[in-house]
Amino acid sequence: MEVIREKQAMRDWTRAQRKAGERIAFIPTMGYLHEGHLSLVREAKLHATKVVVSVYVNSAQFAPGEDLSTYPRDFEGDLKRLKPLDVNVVFNPFDLYNRDSSTENFSGHETWIRVERLEKPLCGNDRPIFFRGVATIVAKLFNIIEPDVAIFGKKDYQQWRVIRRMVRDLDFAVEIIGCPISREEDGLAMSSRNVRLSATDRQNSLSISRSLREAEEAVKSGETDARVLEELVLKAITSAGGSVDYAKIVDQETLQEVKTVEFPVVFAVAARFGSVRLLDNMELQPPSLPPSNPVSPQPTPGPKLGHEIVFF
Amino acid sequence: MEVIREKQAMRDWTRAQRKAGERIAFIPTMGYLHEGHLSLVREAKLHATKVVVSVYVNSAQFAPGEDLSTYPRDFEGDLKRLKPLDVNVVFNPFDLYNRDSSTENFSGHETWIRVERLEKPLCGNDRPIFFRGVATIVAKLFNIIEPDVAIFGKKDYQQWRVIRRMVRDLDFAVEIIGCPISREEDGLAMSSRNVRLSATDRQNSLSISRSLREAEEAVKSGETDARVLEELVLKAITSAGGSVDYAKIVDQETLQEVKTVEFPVVFAVAARFGSVRLLDNMELQPPSLPPSNPVSPQPTPGPKLGHEIVFF
């Protein structure tokens, strides 16, 4: 396993591999890797012969006052976790923005990619520059690494949709694959931020995944009123001491709110326990629809709702 | 010379060529080719072994009411002009935007690249979505064609700066080369739009290049007050019946207005004669500076001011 830090060395590596007939998969991460990331690596190996994982905390997606400085980091631990999975390259670049060297700002960088509709709802409400930062760094990494396929976790559902849209609209030659949420045994969606939960908050945060499952059951039993389902989740999390940023049932592709669950939607939640902001979501379909995703073709049927792999 | 219309066929062509060790140059155009474009093709052949020219009128850079519908087109003539220059591929794609099929709008396309500072002054003042459209289509074409080097004319000076900046900020693996303005024998900067000038306007429009040369002479004689020089050009064009959108002396890299010509600047002009909007510009340096461009290294010295090739 090779660690590459220079942009040109990274691109040279990919080009040499491609010339030799290899197919390259790429997984962008901000490090502090957990089982969720490792599941993306395993998925990557199904789609390619070589795997590149980037570890880079993208400052451009943090607004002032957000948790950039406290975002957990453990590069040596990351390498230990990746090694047994036969990852070929860990790309751990120096700063990727042309900054005024004397400051932390982006004075030397002025090009930003906006996915204008998908960046606005859900997380975009509270974090107006977040998806601008995500789209821009992913485009940069695609241009540096030049992968054939890239793997994203659907825990960050809106991010996955933003990237798919960007790739389609800007004609990137990269296949985008979304992977199911990896969960702890008790149901909590895996996240690098989970380590910052207190023991009590850790327990209370289970209200998120538990209430999402309850909503799923309610839909199966015939409830299709989105407001009723959202109220169920909102109350469960609030009662457990969480603060809900949003709990919305939205169209899977446009992320626009729906009134009734009459076509495939996703129930997306962001909630805070203590100072830790957690995301979770569940794809839902009304009982009348067969369990498939009409937005995209689905070559391999997924084992259960919200856990399918959708090909772009 | 091959005409390719499909995105995938275009990318397959480049990848096969690169695998065979070829180096690919790309010249994006909106067609109706003139000697200025052909000079870009000749430049391209100095930097690559294969040349791709795209012919595509990019609707995304025209606002409603601008001259999209009357933009001159002559694809058969373009092919005849390119053939003697041993161009390898003319990429003439179908619509490159995911549109709502029933309308002319961009309902199916929502990803836009903004070069936030450079897109605003000069042409950006009157055409707020112009460089958004330019940057986005060039990124798409780079992703489809995957060239090693791309050639741009410095007649569209702001466009050239916007693209250079985008390539640097987003890490595109494309070398950007700027070429000097090609002029008619009487000095008019070549443009596809020139054919739409009436005979009288054609004659009067010479006031643009003539007054820019006068400004250049004035600088050589010691005049460094930007407002005085701008007034000279403004008066000359207005007296000839033209309407000046802007006549500004700006920093070559940031395109910000300067008060005095004390470092390398560019005198950028946009003016209308009849309904035709014409661009011209001249790079200027104060007499105290040696004739080189401090913004970028300059491997081959240019023959005269405003006519050097600047490497990115």
Side-chain angles (χ1 to χ4, degrees):
Chain A
M1 192 170 74
E2 196 175 344
V3 175
I4 297 182
R5 293 187 189 274
E6 295 282 0
K7 294 195 271 194
Q8 193 55 50
M10 184 66 243
R11 188 180 285 133
D12 290 347
W13 183 89
T14 300
R15 292 202 173 186
Q17 295 296 328
R18 180 168 292 118
K19 205 165 183 174
E22 305 289 352
R23 181 172 160 86
I24 294 103
F26 167 51
I27 299 135
T29 83
M30 300 214 300
Y32 214 77
L33 304 178
H34 51 66
E35 174 53 33
H37 297 106
L38 304 185
S39 75
L40 304 185
V41 174
R42 285 187 286 267
E43 182 69 33
K45 299 177 85 71
L46 304 177
H47 302 277
T49 55
K50 300 281 177 182
V51 176
V52 177
V53 175
S54 68
V55 174
Y56 181 68
V57 178
N58 175 37
S59 52
Q61 70 195 57
F62 293 81
E66 288 180 357
D67 62 351
L68 172 60
S69 61
T70 60
Y71 197 86
R73 288 166 167 87
D74 177 17
F75 188 60
E76 292 310 312
D78 292 341
L79 294 180
K80 279 195 197 110
R81 274 171 215 105
L82 292 172
K83 196 144 192 187
L85 298 180
D86 282 330
V87 166
N88 300 93
V89 171
V90 178
F91 182 51
N92 179 228
F94 304 112
D95 184 32
L96 289 178
Y97 296 93
N98 304 302
R99 280 173 225 259
D100 181 323
S101 56
S102 62
T103 65
E104 272 299 299
N105 68 19
F106 289 87
S107 56
H109 181 100
E110 59 173 301
T111 308
W112 299 103
I113 297 177
R114 313 293 303 245
V115 183
E116 294 193 349
R117 285 192 294 264
L118 285 178
E119 73 173 17
K120 286 193 177 64
L122 305 178
C123 287
N125 259 324
D126 290 330
R127 308 182 75 184
I129 67 156
F130 179 71
F131 290 109
R132 185 188 85 157
V134 167
T136 302
I137 194 65
V138 170
K140 284 166 72 69
L141 290 167
F142 282 180
N143 282 340
I144 293 166
I145 299 170
E146 299 185 338
D148 298 293
V149 52
I151 321 286
F152 290 83
K154 287 166 81 171
K155 201 265 283 174
D156 303 312
Y157 198 89
Q158 189 173 10
Q159 168 178 286
W160 177 63
R161 287 291 174 182
V162 162
I163 296 303
R164 272 178 57 134
R165 186 80 224 185
M166 176 186 78
V167 164
R168 183 176 355 179
D169 283 355
L170 297 185
D171 293 300
F172 277 97
V174 182
E175 184 186 0
I176 304 297
I177 290 174
C179 282
I181 296 175
S182 293
R183 297 183 180 278
E184 306 289 353
E185 281 196 10
D186 57 13
L188 179 65
M190 287 187 182
S191 165
S192 303
R193 290 185 171 99
N194 289 353
V195 295
R196 287 166 41 210
L197 288 166
S198 71
T200 313
D201 286 338
R202 172 73 183 71
Q203 193 56 36
N204 290 337
S205 71
L206 295 180
S207 56
I208 303 174
S209 54
R210 198 185 301 124
S211 61
L212 279 174
R213 279 199 307 276
E214 284 165 16
E216 188 183 32
E217 288 304 317
V219 170
K220 281 181 185 160
S221 307
E223 180 60 69
T224 60
D225 186 324
R227 294 299 92 80
V228 169
L229 295 160
E230 288 166 4
E231 195 62 25
L232 183 163
V233 168
L234 184 71
K235 272 195 181 147
I237 299 173
T238 310
S239 304
S243 159
V244 174
D245 282 0
Y246 60 80
K248 294 289 179 194
I249 299 179
V250 298
D251 180 281
Q252 285 187 9
E253 191 160 20
T254 67
L255 305 183
Q256 292 301 301
E257 287 181 46
V258 301
K259 286 183 176 166
T260 55
V261 181
E262 54 190 352
F263 51 86
V265 292
V266 59
F267 199 147
V269 175
R272 289 168 204 271
F273 283 84
S275 67
V276 185
R277 188 167 181 275
L278 300 171
L279 297 182
D280 202 343
N281 68 77
M282 192 167 286
E283 290 177 323
L284 300 172
Q285 295 180 84
S288 56
L289 280 188
S292 72
N293 187 334
V295 172
S296 313
Q298 186 186 341
T300 51
K304 64 178 232 182
L305 266 184
H307 283 236
E308 79 274 35
I309 295 161
V310 178
F311 289 83
F312 174 59
Chain B
M1 192 170 74
E2 195 175 344
V3 175
I4 297 182
R5 294 187 188 274
E6 295 281 0
K7 295 195 271 194
Q8 193 55 50
M10 184 66 243
R11 188 180 286 133
D12 290 347
W13 182 89
T14 301
R15 293 203 171 186
Q17 295 295 329
R18 180 168 292 119
K19 205 164 183 176
E22 306 288 354
R23 182 171 159 86
I24 294 102
F26 166 50
I27 299 135
T29 84
M30 300 214 298
Y32 212 78
L33 304 178
H34 52 65
E35 174 53 31
H37 297 106
L38 304 186
S39 74
L40 304 184
V41 174
R42 284 187 287 266
E43 182 69 32
K45 299 177 85 72
L46 304 177
H47 302 276
T49 55
K50 300 282 177 181
V51 176
V52 177
V53 175
S54 68
V55 174
Y56 181 68
V57 178
N58 175 36
S59 51
Q61 69 194 58
F62 294 82
E66 288 179 358
D67 63 350
L68 172 61
S69 61
T70 61
Y71 197 86
R73 286 167 167 88
D74 176 19
F75 188 60
E76 291 310 312
D78 292 340
L79 294 180
K80 279 195 196 107
R81 272 170 217 104
L82 292 172
K83 196 144 191 188
L85 298 179
D86 283 331
V87 166
N88 302 92
V89 171
V90 177
F91 182 51
N92 180 229
F94 304 113
D95 184 34
L96 289 177
Y97 295 94
N98 304 303
R99 279 174 226 260
D100 181 321
S101 56
S102 63
T103 65
E104 272 298 298
N105 69 18
F106 289 87
S107 56
H109 181 99
E110 59 173 300
T111 308
W112 298 102
I113 296 178
R114 313 294 301 246
V115 182
E116 293 192 351
R117 285 192 294 264
L118 286 177
E119 73 173 17
K120 285 193 177 63
L122 305 178
C123 287
N125 259 323
D126 290 330
R127 307 183 74 184
I129 66 155
F130 179 71
F131 291 109
R132 184 189 84 158
V134 168
T136 302
I137 193 67
V138 170
K140 284 166 70 71
L141 289 167
F142 283 0
N143 282 340
I144 293 166
I145 298 169
E146 298 185 339
D148 298 293
V149 52
I151 321 287
F152 289 83
K154 287 165 80 170
K155 202 264 283 174
D156 302 312
Y157 198 89
Q158 189 172 10
Q159 169 178 286
W160 177 61
R161 288 291 175 182
V162 163
I163 297 302
R164 272 177 57 133
R165 187 79 226 185
M166 175 185 80
V167 163
R168 184 176 355 179
D169 283 355
L170 297 186
D171 294 299
F172 278 98
V174 183
E175 184 185 359
I176 304 297
I177 289 174
C179 281
I181 296 175
S182 294
R183 297 183 181 279
E184 305 290 352
E185 281 196 9
D186 57 13
L188 179 66
M190 287 188 182
S191 164
S192 304
R193 290 186 171 100
N194 290 354
V195 295
R196 287 165 39 208
L197 288 165
S198 71
T200 313
D201 285 338
R202 171 74 182 71
Q203 194 55 37
N204 292 336
S205 71
L206 295 180
S207 56
I208 303 174
S209 53
R210 199 184 299 125
S211 61
L212 279 174
R213 279 199 308 276
E214 284 164 17
E216 187 182 32
E217 288 305 317
V219 171
K220 282 180 185 162
S221 309
E223 180 60 69
T224 59
D225 186 325
R227 294 299 93 79
V228 169
L229 295 160
E230 289 167 3
E231 195 62 25
L232 184 162
V233 168
L234 184 71
K235 272 196 180 145
I237 298 172
T238 309
S239 304
S243 159
V244 174
D245 282 0
Y246 60 80
K248 294 288 179 193
I249 299 180
V250 297
D251 181 280
Q252 284 186 10
E253 191 160 20
T254 67
L255 305 182
Q256 293 300 300
E257 287 181 45
V258 301
K259 285 182 177 168
T260 56
V261 181
E262 55 190 351
F263 50 86
V265 292
V266 60
F267 200 147
V269 175
R272 289 166 205 271
F273 284 85
S275 67
V276 184
R277 188 168 181 274
L278 300 171
L279 297 183
D280 202 343
N281 68 76
M282 191 165 287
E283 289 177 324
L284 299 173
Q285 295 179 87
S288 56
L289 281 188
S292 72
N293 187 334
V295 172
S296 312
Q298 186 185 343
T300 52
K304 63 176 231 184
L305 268 184
H307 283 238
E308 78 274 37
I309 296 161
V310 178
F311 289 84
F312 175 61

